[in-house]
Coordinates of all heavy atoms in Angstrom, one line a residue:
Chain B
A282 N -15.0 -7.1 -11.4 CA -14.9 -7.5 -10.0 C -13.5 -7.3 -9.5 O -13.3 -6.8 -8.4 CB -15.4 -8.9 -9.8
D283 N -12.5 -7.8 -10.3 CA -11.1 -7.6 -9.9 C -10.7 -6.2 -9.7 O -10.1 -5.8 -8.7 CB -10.3 -8.1 -11.1 CG -9.5 -9.4 -10.8 OD1 -9.8 -10.0 -9.8 OD2 -8.5 -9.7 -11.5
S284 N -11.1 -5.3 -10.6 CA -10.8 -3.9 -10.5 C -11.5 -3.2 -9.4 O -10.9 -2.3 -8.7 CB -11.1 -3.1 -11.8 OG -10.0 -3.0 -12.7
L285 N -12.7 -3.7 -9.1 CA -13.4 -3.1 -7.9 C -12.7 -3.4 -6.6 O -12.6 -2.6 -5.7 CB -14.9 -3.6 -7.8 CG -15.8 -2.9 -8.8 CD1 -17.1 -3.7 -9.0 CD2 -16.2 -1.5 -8.2
S286 N -12.1 -4.6 -6.5 CA -11.3 -5.0 -5.3 C -9.9 -4.4 -5.3 O -9.4 -4.0 -4.3 CB -11.2 -6.5 -5.2 OG -12.3 -7.2 -5.6
H287 N -9.3 -4.4 -6.5 CA -7.9 -3.9 -6.5 C -7.6 -3.1 -7.8 O -6.9 -3.5 -8.7 CB -7.0 -5.1 -6.6 CG -6.9 -5.9 -5.3 ND1 -6.3 -5.3 -4.2 CD2 -7.4 -7.1 -4.9 CE1 -6.5 -6.2 -3.1 NE2 -7.1 -7.3 -3.6
P288 N -8.2 -1.8 -7.8 CA -8.0 -1.0 -8.9 C -6.6 -0.7 -9.2 O -6.2 -0.5 -10.4 CB -8.8 0.3 -8.6 CG -8.9 0.3 -7.1 CD -9.0 -1.2 -6.7
E289 N -5.7 -0.7 -8.2 CA -4.3 -0.3 -8.3 C -3.5 -1.3 -9.2 O -2.5 -1.0 -9.7 CB -3.6 -0.1 -7.0 CG -3.4 -1.4 -6.2 CD -4.6 -1.9 -5.4 OE1 -5.7 -1.4 -5.7 OE2 -4.5 -2.9 -4.7
R290 N -4.1 -2.5 -9.4 CA -3.3 -3.5 -10.1 C -3.5 -3.4 -11.6 O -3.0 -4.3 -12.4 CB -3.8 -4.9 -9.6 CG -3.4 -5.2 -8.2 CD -3.6 -6.6 -7.8 NE -3.4 -6.8 -6.4 CZ -3.9 -7.8 -5.6 NH1 -4.6 -8.7 -6.2 NH2 -3.7 -7.9 -4.3
M291 N -4.3 -2.5 -12.1 CA -4.7 -2.4 -13.5 C -3.5 -2.7 -14.5 O -3.6 -3.5 -15.4 CB -5.3 -1.1 -13.8 CG -5.9 -0.9 -15.2 SD -4.7 -0.1 -16.3 CE -4.7 1.6 -15.7
A292 N -2.4 -1.9 -14.3 CA -1.3 -2.0 -15.3 C -0.7 -3.4 -15.3 O 0.0 -3.8 -16.3 CB -0.3 -0.9 -15.0
A293 N -0.8 -4.1 -14.2 CA -0.2 -5.5 -14.1 C -1.2 -6.5 -14.7 O -0.9 -7.4 -15.5 CB 0.1 -5.9 -12.7
K294 N -2.5 -6.3 -14.4 CA -3.6 -7.1 -15.0 C -3.5 -7.1 -16.5 O -3.7 -8.1 -17.2 CB -4.9 -6.7 -14.5 CG -5.2 -6.9 -13.0 CD -5.4 -8.4 -12.8 CE -5.6 -8.6 -11.3 NZ -5.7 -10.1 -11.0
L295 N -3.3 -5.9 -17.1 CA -3.2 -5.7 -18.5 C -2.1 -6.5 -19.1 O -2.2 -7.2 -20.1 CB -3.1 -4.2 -18.9 CG -4.3 -3.3 -18.5 CD1 -4.1 -1.9 -19.1 CD2 -5.6 -3.9 -18.9
F296 N -0.9 -6.4 -18.5 CA 0.3 -7.1 -19.0 C 0.0 -8.6 -18.9 O 0.4 -9.4 -19.8 CB 1.6 -6.8 -18.4 CG 2.8 -7.4 -19.1 CD1 3.2 -6.8 -20.3 CD2 3.4 -8.6 -18.7 CE1 4.3 -7.3 -21.0 CE2 4.4 -9.1 -19.4 CZ 4.9 -8.5 -20.6
A297 N -0.7 -9.1 -17.9 CA -1.0 -10.5 -17.7 C -1.9 -11.0 -18.9 O -1.8 -12.2 -19.3 CB -1.7 -10.8 -16.4
L298 N -2.7 -10.1 -19.5 CA -3.5 -10.5 -20.7 C -2.6 -10.9 -21.8 O -2.8 -11.9 -22.5 CB -4.4 -9.4 -21.1 CG -5.6 -9.0 -20.2 CD1 -6.3 -7.8 -20.8 CD2 -6.5 -10.1 -20.0
R299 N -1.5 -10.1 -22.0 CA -0.5 -10.4 -23.1 C 0.3 -11.6 -22.8 O 0.4 -12.5 -23.6 CB 0.4 -9.1 -23.2 CG 1.5 -9.3 -24.3 CD 0.9 -9.5 -25.6 NE 1.9 -9.8 -26.6 CZ 1.7 -10.6 -27.7 NH1 0.5 -11.2 -27.9 NH2 2.7 -10.9 -28.5
A300 N 0.7 -11.7 -21.5 CA 1.6 -12.9 -21.1 C 0.8 -14.2 -21.2 O 1.2 -15.2 -21.7 CB 2.2 -12.7 -19.7
G301 N -0.5 -14.1 -20.7 CA -1.3 -15.3 -20.8 C -1.6 -15.8 -22.2 O -1.7 -17.0 -22.5
D302 N -1.6 -14.8 -23.1 CA -1.8 -15.1 -24.5 C -0.5 -15.8 -25.1 O -0.5 -16.8 -25.7 CB -2.1 -13.8 -25.3 CG -2.5 -14.1 -26.7 OD1 -3.0 -15.2 -27.0 OD2 -2.4 -13.2 -27.5
L303 N 0.7 -15.2 -24.7 CA 2.0 -15.8 -25.2 C 2.1 -17.2 -24.7 O 2.7 -18.0 -25.3 CB 3.1 -14.9 -24.7 CG 3.4 -13.6 -25.4 CD1 4.4 -12.7 -24.7 CD2 3.9 -13.9 -26.9
L304 N 1.7 -17.4 -23.4 CA 1.9 -18.7 -22.8 C 0.7 -19.7 -23.1 O 0.7 -20.8 -22.5 CB 2.1 -18.5 -21.3 CG 3.3 -17.7 -20.8 CD1 3.3 -17.4 -19.3 CD2 4.6 -18.3 -21.2
K305 N -0.2 -19.2 -23.9 CA -1.4 -20.0 -24.3 C -2.2 -20.4 -23.1 O -2.7 -21.5 -23.0 CB -1.0 -21.2 -25.1 CG -0.2 -20.8 -26.4 CD -0.1 -22.0 -27.4 CE 0.9 -21.6 -28.5 NZ 0.7 -20.3 -29.2
L306 N -2.3 -19.5 -22.1 CA -3.1 -19.8 -20.9 C -4.5 -19.2 -21.0 O -5.4 -19.5 -20.2 CB -2.4 -19.3 -19.6 CG -1.0 -19.9 -19.3 CD1 -0.3 -19.1 -18.2 CD2 -1.2 -21.3 -18.9
N307 N -4.7 -18.2 -21.9 CA -6.0 -17.5 -22.0 C -6.9 -18.0 -23.1 O -6.4 -18.5 -24.1 CB -5.7 -16.0 -22.2 CG -5.1 -15.3 -21.0 OD1 -4.9 -15.9 -20.0 ND2 -4.8 -14.0 -21.2
D308 N -8.2 -17.9 -22.9 CA -9.1 -18.2 -24.0 C -8.8 -17.1 -25.1 O -8.8 -15.9 -24.8 CB -10.6 -18.0 -23.6 CG -11.0 -19.2 -22.7 OD1 -10.3 -20.2 -22.7 OD2 -12.1 -19.0 -22.1
Q309 N -8.8 -17.6 -26.3 CA -8.7 -16.7 -27.5 C -10.0 -15.8 -27.4 O -11.1 -16.3 -27.2 CB -8.7 -17.4 -28.8 CG -7.4 -17.9 -29.3 CD -6.5 -16.8 -29.7 OE1 -7.0 -15.7 -30.1 NE2 -5.2 -17.0 -29.8
G310 N -9.9 -14.6 -27.6 CA -11.1 -13.7 -27.7 C -11.6 -13.2 -26.4 O -12.6 -12.5 -26.3
S311 N -10.9 -13.5 -25.3 CA -11.4 -13.0 -24.0 C -10.6 -11.6 -23.6 O -11.1 -10.9 -22.8 CB -11.2 -14.0 -22.9 OG -9.8 -14.2 -22.6
A312 N -9.5 -11.3 -24.3 CA -8.7 -10.2 -23.9 C -9.4 -8.9 -24.0 O -9.3 -8.0 -23.2 CB -7.4 -10.2 -24.6
R313 N -10.2 -8.8 -25.1 CA -10.9 -7.5 -25.4 C -11.9 -7.2 -24.2 O -11.9 -6.0 -23.7 CB -11.6 -7.5 -26.7 CG -12.1 -6.2 -27.2 CD -12.5 -6.2 -28.7 NE -13.2 -5.0 -29.0 CZ -14.5 -4.8 -28.8 NH1 -15.2 -5.8 -28.4 NH2 -15.0 -3.6 -29.1
A314 N -12.7 -8.1 -23.9 CA -13.7 -7.9 -22.8 C -13.0 -7.7 -21.5 O -13.4 -6.9 -20.7 CB -14.6 -9.1 -22.7
A315 N -11.9 -8.4 -21.2 CA -11.2 -8.3 -20.0 C -10.6 -6.9 -19.9 O -10.7 -6.2 -18.8 CB -10.1 -9.3 -19.8
L316 N -9.9 -6.4 -20.9 CA -9.4 -5.0 -21.0 C -10.5 -4.0 -20.6 O -10.3 -3.1 -19.8 CB -8.8 -4.8 -22.3 CG -8.4 -3.3 -22.7 CD1 -7.3 -2.8 -21.7 CD2 -7.8 -3.2 -24.1
S317 N -11.6 -4.2 -21.3 CA -12.7 -3.3 -21.1 C -13.2 -3.4 -19.6 O -13.5 -2.3 -18.9 CB -13.9 -3.6 -22.0 OG -15.0 -2.9 -21.7
G318 N -13.3 -4.6 -19.1 CA -13.7 -4.8 -17.7 C -12.8 -4.2 -16.7 O -13.2 -3.6 -15.7
Y319 N -11.5 -4.3 -16.9 CA -10.5 -3.7 -15.9 C -10.7 -2.2 -15.9 O -10.7 -1.6 -14.8 CB -9.1 -4.0 -16.3 CG -8.7 -5.5 -16.0 CD1 -8.1 -6.3 -17.0 CD2 -9.0 -6.1 -14.8 CE1 -7.8 -7.6 -16.8 CE2 -8.7 -7.4 -14.5 CZ -8.1 -8.2 -15.5 OH -7.8 -9.5 -15.3
L320 N -10.9 -1.6 -17.1 CA -11.0 -0.1 -17.1 C -12.3 0.4 -16.6 O -12.4 1.3 -15.8 CB -10.7 0.4 -18.6 CG -9.3 0.1 -19.1 CD1 -9.2 0.5 -20.6 CD2 -8.2 0.8 -18.3
I321 N -13.4 -0.3 -17.0 CA -14.7 0.2 -16.5 C -14.9 -0.1 -15.1 O -15.5 0.6 -14.3 CB -15.8 -0.5 -17.4 CG1 -15.8 0.2 -18.8 CG2 -17.2 -0.3 -16.8 CD1 -16.9 -0.3 -19.8
G322 N -14.3 -1.2 -14.6 CA -14.3 -1.6 -13.2 C -13.7 -0.5 -12.3 O -14.3 -0.1 -11.3
M323 N -12.6 0.1 -12.8 CA -12.0 1.2 -12.0 C -12.9 2.4 -11.9 O -13.0 3.0 -10.9 CB -10.7 1.7 -12.8 CG -9.5 0.8 -12.6 SD -8.1 1.6 -13.5 CE -7.8 3.0 -12.5
E324 N -13.6 2.6 -13.1 CA -14.5 3.8 -13.1 C -15.7 3.6 -12.2 O -16.1 4.6 -11.5 CB -14.9 4.0 -14.6 CG -15.6 5.3 -14.8 CD -15.9 5.6 -16.2 OE1 -15.2 5.2 -17.1 OE2 -17.0 6.2 -16.5
I325 N -16.2 2.4 -12.2 CA -17.4 2.1 -11.3 C -17.0 2.3 -9.9 O -17.7 2.8 -9.0 CB -17.9 0.7 -11.6 CG1 -18.3 0.5 -13.1 CG2 -19.0 0.3 -10.7 CD1 -19.5 1.3 -13.5
A326 N -15.7 1.8 -9.6 CA -15.2 2.0 -8.2 C -15.1 3.5 -7.8 O -15.5 3.9 -6.7 CB -13.9 1.3 -8.0
A327 N -14.6 4.3 -8.8 CA -14.3 5.7 -8.5 C -15.6 6.5 -8.3 O -15.7 7.4 -7.6 CB -13.4 6.3 -9.6
T328 N -16.6 6.0 -9.1 CA -17.9 6.8 -9.1 C -18.9 6.3 -8.0 O -20.0 6.8 -7.9 CB -18.6 6.8 -10.5 OG1 -18.7 5.4 -10.9 CG2 -17.8 7.5 -11.5
R329 N -18.5 5.3 -7.2 CA -19.4 4.7 -6.3 C -20.1 5.8 -5.4 O -21.3 5.8 -5.2 CB -18.7 3.6 -5.4 CG -19.7 2.9 -4.5 CD -19.0 1.9 -3.6 NE -18.7 0.6 -4.2 CZ -17.6 0.0 -4.2 NH1 -16.5 0.5 -3.6 NH2 -17.5 -1.2 -4.7
P330 N -19.3 6.7 -4.8 CA -19.9 7.8 -4.0 C -21.0 8.6 -4.8 O -21.9 9.2 -4.2 CB -18.8 8.7 -3.6 CG -17.5 7.9 -3.9 CD -17.8 6.9 -4.9
Y331 N -20.8 8.6 -6.1 CA -21.8 9.3 -7.0 C -23.1 8.6 -7.1 O -24.2 9.1 -7.0 CB -21.1 9.5 -8.4 CG -20.9 10.9 -8.8 CD1 -20.2 11.8 -8.0 CD2 -21.5 11.4 -10.0 CE1 -20.0 13.1 -8.4 CE2 -21.3 12.7 -10.4 CZ -20.6 13.6 -9.6 OH -20.4 14.9 -10.0
W332 N -23.0 7.3 -7.5 CA -24.2 6.5 -7.9 C -24.9 5.8 -6.7 O -26.0 5.4 -6.8 CB -24.0 5.6 -9.0 CG -22.8 4.6 -8.9 CD1 -21.6 4.7 -9.6 CD2 -22.7 3.4 -8.2 NE1 -20.8 3.7 -9.3 CE2 -21.4 2.8 -8.4 CE3 -23.5 2.7 -7.3 CZ2 -21.0 1.7 -7.9 CZ3 -23.1 1.5 -6.7 CH2 -21.8 1.0 -7.0
L333 N -24.2 5.7 -5.6 CA -24.7 4.9 -4.5 C -26.0 5.5 -4.0 O -26.1 6.6 -3.6 CB -23.7 4.8 -3.4 CG -23.8 3.6 -2.4 CD1 -23.5 2.3 -3.1 CD2 -22.9 3.7 -1.2
G334 N -27.1 4.7 -4.0 CA -28.4 5.2 -3.5 C -29.1 6.2 -4.4 O -30.1 6.9 -3.9
Q335 N -28.6 6.4 -5.6 CA -29.2 7.4 -6.5 C -30.0 6.8 -7.6 O -29.7 5.6 -8.0 CB -28.1 8.3 -7.1 CG -27.3 9.1 -6.2 CD -27.9 10.5 -5.9 OE1 -28.9 10.8 -6.5 NE2 -27.3 11.2 -5.0
N336 N -31.0 7.5 -8.2 CA -31.5 7.1 -9.5 C -30.3 7.2 -10.5 O -29.5 8.1 -10.4 CB -32.5 8.2 -10.0 CG -33.8 8.1 -9.3 OD1 -34.3 7.0 -9.0 ND2 -34.4 9.2 -9.1
L337 N -30.3 6.2 -11.4 CA -29.2 6.2 -12.4 C -29.8 5.9 -13.8 O -30.6 5.0 -14.0 CB -28.2 5.1 -12.0 CG -27.0 4.9 -12.8 CD1 -26.1 6.2 -12.7 CD2 -26.1 3.7 -12.4
A338 N -29.3 6.8 -14.7 CA -29.7 6.5 -16.1 C -28.4 6.6 -17.0 O -27.5 7.3 -16.6 CB -30.7 7.6 -16.6
I339 N -28.4 5.7 -18.0 CA -27.2 5.7 -18.9 C -27.7 6.2 -20.2 O -28.7 5.8 -20.8 CB -26.7 4.2 -19.1 CG1 -26.3 3.7 -17.7 CG2 -25.6 4.2 -20.1 CD1 -25.9 2.2 -17.7
L340 N -27.0 7.2 -20.7 CA -27.3 7.8 -22.0 C -26.5 7.0 -23.1 O -25.3 7.1 -23.3 CB -26.9 9.3 -22.1 CG -27.9 10.1 -22.8 CD1 -29.1 10.4 -21.9 CD2 -27.3 11.4 -23.2
G341 N -27.3 6.2 -23.9 CA -26.6 5.4 -24.9 C -27.3 4.0 -24.9 O -27.8 3.6 -23.9
M342 N -27.3 3.4 -26.1 CA -27.9 2.1 -26.3 C -26.9 1.1 -26.9 O -27.1 -0.1 -27.0 CB -29.1 2.2 -27.3 CG -30.1 3.3 -27.0 SD -31.1 2.9 -25.6 CE -32.6 2.3 -26.4

Side-chain angles (χ1 to χ4, degrees):
Chain B
D283 244 17
S284 263
L285 280 162
S286 321
H287 290 290
E289 71 280 7
R290 293 186 189 162
M291 184 269 288
K294 292 287 181 183
L295 297 188
F296 190 78
L298 293 177
R299 177 64 188 146
D302 190 22
L303 284 171
L304 300 173
K305 304 194 189 308
L306 296 169
N307 290 359
D308 284 349
Q309 276 288 341
S311 67
R313 190 167 171 274
L316 169 59
S317 172
Y319 289 129
L320 296 175
I321 290 179
M323 282 182 68
E324 188 175 328
I325 301 293
T328 52
R329 189 185 272 135
Y331 240 60
W332 49 256
L333 204 67
Q335 295 272 356
N336 285 323
L337 183 63
I339 299 174
L340 220 78
M342 310 286 260

